[in-house]
Amino acid sequence: MFTIKNHLEIENGHLTIGGVDAVEIVKRYGSPLYVTNEERVRKNFRSYQDAFPEADLYYAAKANGNLTILKIMAEEGAGADVFSDGELYMALLAGIPKKKILFNGNSKSDSELLMAVMTGVRVSVDSFDELRTLSSIAKSEGRVVDIAFRVNPDVSPQTHPKIATGLKTSKFGVPHEEVIRAYKEALDIPGINPVGIHCHIGSQILNITPFAEAMNKMMDLVEQVSRLGVKLEFVDIGSGLGIPYEKGIRVPSTADLANLILPIFNERCVAAGINPKLILEPGRYILADSTVLLTTVNTMKEAAKKFVGIDAGFNLLIRPTMYDSYHYVVVANKADAVAVDTYTIVGPICETGDILANDRELPQIEKGDIVALLDAGAYGFSMSSQYNGRTRCAEVLVQKGDVDVIRKAETYDDLLSNQVIPARFL
Ligand SMILES: *Cc1c(COP(=O)(O)O)cnc(C)c1O
């Protein structure tokens, strides 16, 4: 037995996850299959918390919104960053305390704002317009809602453009030069209690210096906002720490991030004579490497390239198509065999862009082999679709050799659910 990547091991030539043989689990639960190692999820959460012992961690529910995952987060003491009414519903159902839920979003509907007011969660307000709408909703319900403003700090996170969220031109947040005016208005209008400040600069960030820039800009604002008479209970710096999708690359750790931003946060709080709570909102770091997507080879083709046609495409894992992301590939039933050829792994979707892995050196692949796509736990299942009439696969949770189904595979009925046939077609 030896380790192939992180917690993933090879035993008798097979990939194993959480003490379970990948080939056996596909035989039993079908293919494709998302397999999550509970122990790894908890370990990732705890290592983040260890690096930031004084901070609250709000798990970003969009990374993986499965109710069981949210319950694990609740057990670990996490709060939640939610971005929709559905995520809010799920986070509350999972038992995450309402005071540790921050409702984010750049285009919340009036009914979502009403839901925030009635459930008593905190709202990260994204614009002046939203502030005014929220105020009138809270006022008409006779409630007061705790808010932060989402700041656009104008910081380049040096990541894929589609996951850079804190650039001046990004759709998120109040431009930093307008933030003071926003708090002034928040102090004046009814139903609004400003208690925090929030930003989030992007995701899969591997050079952490932009976090220092963001923290400094945020603390400039924190000082000015405090001088207005706002008692800030929290400073939420968002998330974005990247993970090593490619085997062997060195990436900054949670400790590196803490060593970079905690001194800035602590010193500037002392200087300003304030004591707000630091909040971080990790998603990817907690879930990504806990999960593999197991797939089966349907067919092989030698053309301009050697194509491996598997049974999962961007319907189940859209990251390679959407963000040009890299996922490490293991042939799970030949996990210790030597690489002999260069393969391109493609899905079954009727789109040229349905490529999961390009030009990989792998052992001899044949029909029926089990191809594992690693680090699929964040923005994997949560971004899946039924495109091309493909039912979504099951998700299972493994823990020290035990397996629990945490989502059943869809059936044709699920393709039809909510479709209504007008009488004249019956
Ligand atoms: C997506 C998101 C996160 C999580 O980012 P990761 O890079 O997955 O850790 C945190 N906060 C907000 C506001 C987000 O939109």
Side-chain angles (χ1 to χ4, degrees), residues 60 62-63 81 83 104 150 198-200 202-204 238-241 281-285 378-379:
K62 72 180 186 293
D81 147 39
F83 220 85
N104 290 306
R150 166 82 176 253
H198 176 219
C199 78
H200 171 68
S203 198
Q204 186 52 21
S239 178
L241 187 61
E281 303 176 326
R284 186 189 309 277
Y285 185 90
Y379 312 106

Side-chain angles (χ1 to χ4, degrees), residues 36-113:
T36 298
N37 183 358
E38 178 177 344
E39 200 176 16
R40 184 70 183 182
V41 174
R42 291 185 188 272
K43 183 169 174 288
N44 287 342
F45 184 87
R46 288 171 195 175
S47 82
Y48 217 110
Q49 190 73 77
D50 286 348
F52 293 94
E54 310 273 306
D56 275 352
L57 302 183
Y58 285 13
Y59 169 63
K62 72 180 186 293
N64 183 332
N66 186 292
L67 187 61
T68 305
I69 300 296
L70 293 171
K71 280 180 176 278
I72 293 170
M73 289 298 125
E75 279 186 11
E76 292 291 332
D81 147 39
V82 301
F83 220 85
S84 68
D85 52 350
E87 285 182 0
L88 173 56
Y89 170 78
M90 296 286 280
L92 289 168
L93 196 62
I96 294 176
K98 64 182 184 185
K99 284 294 166 208
K100 287 174 102 174
I101 295 177
L102 188 64
F103 195 159
N104 290 306
N106 65 292
S107 178
K108 305 178 195 83
S109 67
D110 287 11
S111 69
E112 285 178 309
L113 293 174

Side-chain angles (χ1 to χ4, degrees), residues 268-334:
R268 298 202 54 175
C269 283
V270 169
I274 55 172
N275 191 20
K277 186 114 198 145
L278 179 65
I279 294 174
L280 298 109
E281 303 176 326
R284 186 189 309 277
Y285 185 90
I286 313 289
L287 259 297
D289 76 6
S290 71
T291 302
V292 299
L293 174 58
L294 299 178
T295 72
T296 302
V297 176
N298 282 331
T299 184
M300 301 291 301
K301 174 160 58 187
E302 289 201 27
K305 292 182 170 204
K306 283 196 175 159
F307 290 111
V308 181
I310 59 173
D311 57 1
F314 76 67
N315 54 316
L316 289 177
L317 183 64
I318 204 172
R319 298 190 63 259
T321 304
M322 181 129 150
Y323 311 119
D324 309 305
S325 317
Y326 178 100
H327 285 268
Y328 191 77
V329 170
V330 177
V331 184
N333 55 319
K334 300 172 178 170

